[in-house]
Amino acid sequence: MVCAVTALMLGLTACGGGSPTASVVTMPSGSTSAAAIPAIDPLRCDPTTAAPGETVTNGKGSHESGVAVVADYNWAVITGRDTARVTDAVATGAAMASPSLISQAIGGYPPGTTYCLRMRQTRPDTVLYTLTYQPPAGGTNEYRLRATVTGPPGDVRIAGVVDQ
């Protein structure tokens, strides 16, 4: 008689025309099913490294200033993955406010990505910044960007972002 054995986590043995019987397969004591994967250290973002006139952060922002709204936008995209918050950080009518572009922005950073912003407001409507980020799989990447902002303090929004 020919027997077939199928083993996943639960072993099933079938012999002849009878119904299969289940047997529990256990791992030897002290063994693991997969090698431990070392954790990747998150990208460090130390505000004390800021040069005079520069802001260094990876935290939530606000609408109080250009620098604050750039921080808010990037936090909402990368950490919060919050479409409503991203939309709120962008000026009404701005091209980057389209739902498809917001979805692409959020999708561009895998969950668990860490980042750091180095920002400097050079004019009332301009924030120059460097976004350094690290996805969970490792490898650091960097963008040098210029944000155009609009609105009074407390209601500042991003009108656009381009490469520097």
Side-chain angles (χ1 to χ4, degrees), residues 6-143:
T6 304
L8 293 174
M9 289 301 280
L10 181 65
L12 297 177
T13 305
C15 293
S19 56
T21 58
S23 61
V24 176
V25 176
T26 59
M27 298 294 287
S29 177
S31 69
T32 58
S33 59
I37 298 171
I40 295 173
D41 289 332
L43 184 69
R44 297 183 58 89
C45 190
D46 184 356
T48 65
T49 64
E54 182 179 58
T55 299
V56 175
T57 187
N58 62 1
K60 292 180 184 179
S62 69
H63 294 278
E64 292 303 313
S65 69
V67 167
V69 78
V70 168
D72 200 55
Y73 173 84
N74 283 281
W75 183 90
V77 167
I78 299 168
T79 301
R81 308 181 67 74
D82 183 339
T83 302
R85 192 168 183 142
V86 173
T87 301
D88 188 50
V90 177
T92 304
M96 64 189 282
S98 87
S100 65
L101 290 179
I102 290 172
S103 180
Q104 286 177 19
I106 291 171
Y109 301 94
T113 296
T114 55
Y115 73 99
C116 189
L117 299 170
R118 289 190 168 273
M119 302 178 284
R120 182 179 306 274
Q121 189 150 0
T122 58
R123 294 184 1 198
D125 68 343
T126 306
V127 176
L128 300 179
Y129 67 104
T130 301
L131 164 62
T132 307
Y133 69 96
Q134 178 182 327
T140 301
N141 301 291
E142 187 174 275
Y143 292 124

